[in-house]
Amino acid sequence: MSLSAVQGRTSLFERIGTSQKLDAYVVGAVFLKEGLLAAALGDGQVAFINSENISPPSFVSVHDGTCLSLAVDLEEQCVLTGGDDGRLVSTDTEGKTAAIATIAGRWVEPIVVSRASGLRAAAFGKTVCLFAQDGKAVGQFDHSNTVGGLAFDPKGRRVAAAHYGGISLWWAKASTQEPKRLNWSGSHLDLTWSPDGKYIVTAMQENALHGWRVSDDVDMQMSGYPTKVKSMSWLPKGRYLATGGADSVICWPFHGKSGPMGKAPVDIGWGFESVVTVVAAHPRHDVVAAGYKDGAAILVQIDRPHPVLVKQPGEGAVTALAWSADGQHLALGTESGFVCRISLSDWRAPDN
């Protein structure tokens, strides 16, 4: 199905989508192999939805409380979740769960996985713990404040933790070390490392981003957002960083020697009255999926002014977006538990 076939008032979901109502807040969604979709839910369950969508989802009770974070695990037919019960758990598609670690009284958020190094990282409050594929703990890094964001570098050799006052950079496999500090006043929440390894960017408690060039610690402030930025996603090869927090998708240019310094962002998908809550860049093309607070969702290309409607407003704010690895499947989840998915094989931009 070509994007050019579905413009105007009729959404992609109405044309070619399928949906499920899971009746719990959708914390996150990921695609596993063969089109299987996994969604982490606010009631502590993980839902698995098959590619044909002809049978009801299967539910696995994973956490005694709320799922807080979700990632595809090192074994790609498993998902890794953290919960407010202090547990880090791996769950396979057959419903078997394996508790990797438990620290009572801690919230497990965020979590990240590096296939390059075969490591998982999870924040238990102020402590970041590293785990190998067999579940063995291989590192522990303590911070003076709660960790709000985590990211591995592209090779999985270093892990960055965002917290109040900036970020800490740790070597993943060094037993004794002092972290490298990248300082900036304020609370740093979500964190992302560019695909080329050159930049680290955090979303702050204020309506702004802050970034550093890793090679020389030069830092940069990206401000002007009307609301807090809660979602960031790198376009292929890291040329742009797409962000939420405004009524359009704000894309900061990171190509060139100085990244976004001295450059204005590219503003795409404008013309909507709601605020972008979630963004997800296509894995192969310069296409961004964006979900809004009013429940609408769009697709928009970096060099095209007109977005394509994925979903009409309704069903609560969009809280999760996910692409399959081949970029031909897109899933969306909302705060009311509505989940929909569409399949597209032609990502050429509409001509009109």
Side-chain angles (χ1 to χ4, degrees):
M1 189 74 180
S2 169
L3 292 185
S4 59
V6 280
Q7 296 187 78
R9 296 182 179 180
T10 303
S11 69
L12 283 174
F13 166 66
E14 291 170 305
R15 291 255 183 155
I16 54 174
T18 58
S19 67
Q20 298 277 355
K21 194 63 182 290
L22 305 183
D23 296 323
Y25 187 106
V26 180
V27 175
V30 292
F31 277 99
L32 303 176
K33 291 182 178 179
E34 298 178 356
L36 186 67
L37 177 68
L41 304 178
D43 61 3
Q45 297 187 96
V46 172
F48 293 102
I49 304 170
N50 65 39
S51 57
E52 290 79 17
N53 206 42
I54 56 177
S55 58
S58 60
F59 294 90
V60 183
S61 294
V62 180
H63 295 282
D64 296 326
T66 298
C67 289
L68 297 175
S69 47
L70 171 73
V72 179
D73 204 356
L74 292 169
E75 182 66 42
E76 294 186 41
Q77 282 296 81
C78 298
V79 294
L80 188 68
T81 55
D84 63 1
D85 56 358
R87 300 173 70 234
L88 180 68
V89 182
S90 182
T91 304
D92 68 18
T93 58
E94 300 300 318
K96 181 180 179 182
T97 62
I100 296 170
T102 302
I103 302 180
R106 304 282 185 90
W107 284 19
V108 187
E109 181 188 24
I111 59 176
V112 288
V113 174
S114 171
R115 284 174 188 78
S117 59
L119 293 173
R120 313 165 171 115
F124 295 78
K126 300 176 183 179
T127 301
V128 174
C129 298
L130 298 185
F131 302 94
Q133 186 159 0
D134 62 3
K136 181 181 178 181
V138 294
Q140 178 174 310
F141 310 129
D142 294 315
H143 305 82
S144 58
N145 301 98
T146 299
V147 173
L150 277 178
F152 280 106
D153 75 350
K155 295 182 179 180
R157 296 175 180 174
R158 303 177 86 179
V159 61
H163 45 73
Y164 185 85
I167 64 175
S168 298
L169 295 178
W170 303 86
W171 291 103
K173 295 185 177 181
S175 56
T176 302
Q177 61 180 301
E178 286 294 323
K180 179 179 179 178
R181 309 284 188 186
L182 298 177
N183 299 315
W184 187 261
S185 62
S187 294
H188 298 259
L189 305 177
D190 195 13
L191 180 150
T192 184
W193 205 316
S194 66
D196 60 10
K198 294 180 179 180
Y199 296 95
I200 296 174
V201 179
T202 64
M204 301 192 65
Q205 181 69 30
E206 298 78 15
N207 301 343
L209 307 179
H210 200 82
W212 290 265
R213 189 166 58 198
V214 179
S215 62
D216 55 10
D217 302 350
V218 168
D219 66 299
M220 61 209 78
Q221 183 82 345
M222 290 159 276
S223 57
Y225 289 90
T227 64
K228 189 184 305 181
V229 179
K230 296 183 178 180
S231 182
M232 303 181 286
S233 183
W234 294 97
L235 273 68
K237 300 180 181 179
R239 286 176 53 81
Y240 290 90
L241 177 64
T243 68
D247 59 0
S248 59
V249 181
I250 307 299
C251 296
W252 293 94
F254 275 81
H255 45 283
K257 293 183 179 180
S258 301
M261 290 181 283
K263 301 175 184 176
V266 178
D267 187 358
I268 58 176
W270 41 264
F272 290 79
E273 296 181 356
S274 189
V275 173
V276 177
T277 52
V278 187
V279 291
H282 191 278
R284 298 183 181 181
H285 304 294
D286 286 341
V287 174
V288 180
Y292 285 80
K293 188 176 181 179
D294 66 1
I298 62 169
L299 290 174
V300 62
Q301 288 192 284
I302 196 73
D303 58 350
R304 298 281 177 155
H306 301 297
V308 173
L309 187 64
V310 172
K311 178 185 169 295
Q312 300 279 1
E315 305 289 352
V318 178
T319 55
L321 287 168
W323 289 101
S324 61
D326 61 8
Q328 294 191 11
H329 304 274
L330 174 67
L332 173 153
T334 76
E335 64 182 5
S336 71
F338 177 83
V339 174
C340 71
R341 55 189 293 169
I342 59 173
S343 298
L344 294 169
S345 58
D346 187 350
W347 288 109
R348 290 174 297 182
D351 294 326
N352 299 309

